[in-house]
Amino acid sequence: MPIVLPNNKLEEIPSIVFSELRKGASKKKHPFKNVVLTTLSKETPISRWVVFRKLTLEQNILIYTDSRSEKIKNLRANSKGGLLFYNNKQGLQIYFSTVSTIHQNNELTKKYWQGIVGTSSQNYTTIHQPGLPINNISDGQKIDKNLNDKYFSIIELCPICMSILQLSRDGHIRASFNKINNEWKGTYVVP
């Protein structure tokens, strides 16, 4: 069932989208819980699935990662990236062009590290950095016994452009928006 409907006004679409994104961040099985993050390595785009953790009051998107990961290296070199959300049940695709801020060993990471419990903390405490070639699978599972937040990072992605595509048998709806002075200004475009 579509979320964006023909009777919605253009200026209503961003609030509809962000309302749905809030659900994605809070509900474990929501289709928006996982998102495709694209970064640039020199001039080559690299995409990977990541877990969408939180939508801030400023409409920024938070992703957790290991500070030694490739995505962090890419975003340090070029803070621009992209996020692609898709809800196959509702036929809604959302794409954001973003600018990122990396948080490590600051108030934000300390706040969220407290909420990471059990084996989840092991995702950020491996002895070897992500992407390092290893001789066997068990080498990639070796964990620093201290389980501290030394490598825990948060990528804060600030959307600057948004493109939505609502697929529907009654007719597709597509719109593009730019964030200007903290407001979304947009136009409908041909699907």
Side-chain angles (χ1 to χ4, degrees), residues 5-159:
L5 303 170
N7 61 341
N8 292 129
K9 294 179 181 161
L10 181 66
E11 58 273 7
E12 293 176 316
I13 293 174
S15 62
I16 293 168
V17 165
F18 283 100
S19 174
E20 198 62 25
L21 286 171
R22 276 185 208 76
K23 293 176 193 173
S26 63
K27 296 181 180 178
K28 214 174 200 176
K29 295 189 180 198
H30 193 283
F32 288 167
K33 189 65 177 171
N34 296 300
V35 57
V36 176
L37 170 66
T38 300
T39 59
L40 291 171
S41 177
K42 296 183 183 169
E43 293 183 21
T44 304
I46 299 173
S47 299
R48 80 282 280 156
W49 286 100
V50 294
V51 179
F52 170 33
R53 300 295 182 166
K54 180 157 180 63
L55 181 67
T56 69
L57 294 175
E58 298 81 19
Q59 298 180 333
N60 293 340
I61 294 161
L62 303 183
I63 307 285
Y64 300 168
T65 193
D66 187 307
S67 64
R68 303 166 293 172
S69 69
E70 175 110 13
K71 59 185 136 332
I72 291 286
K73 290 175 191 164
N74 296 160
L75 291 169
R76 285 190 201 275
N78 183 343
S79 65
K80 294 178 182 172
L83 289 170
L84 179 63
F85 292 88
Y86 184 64
N87 184 330
N88 63 331
K89 292 178 182 164
Q90 295 168 324
L92 180 62
Q93 174 181 291
I94 306 165
Y95 177 78
F96 291 110
S97 292
T98 64
V99 175
S100 64
T101 302
I102 298 168
H103 298 274
Q104 185 179 3
N105 297 318
N106 64 14
E107 286 184 32
L108 189 68
T109 57
K110 291 189 185 324
K111 173 185 171 183
Y112 286 105
W113 178 253
Q114 295 172 8
I116 298 174
V117 294
T119 58
S120 293
S121 63
Q122 294 176 3
N123 295 329
Y124 315 102
T125 57
T126 57
I127 291 173
H128 303 296
Q129 71 184 45
L132 184 74
I134 53 178
N135 293 323
N136 58 59
I137 293 171
S138 64
D139 286 347
Q141 309 300 318
K142 292 180 181 173
I143 305 300
D144 182 345
K145 300 296 181 203
N146 292 327
L147 293 180
N148 62 42
D149 64 347
K150 178 169 54 174
Y151 300 123
F152 176 64
S153 292
I154 297 175
I155 302 171
E156 182 174 11
L157 298 136
C158 175

Side-chain angles (χ1 to χ4, degrees), residues 152-180:
F152 176 64
S153 292
I154 297 175
I155 302 171
E156 182 174 11
L157 298 136
C158 175
I160 53 175
C161 298
M162 170 175 50
S163 176
I164 68 105
L165 175 61
Q166 176 67 70
L167 302 173
S168 172
R169 291 191 174 155
D170 297 329
H172 306 321
I173 300 169
R174 186 174 171 198
S176 290
F177 297 86
N178 290 308
K179 197 170 190 179
I180 301 168

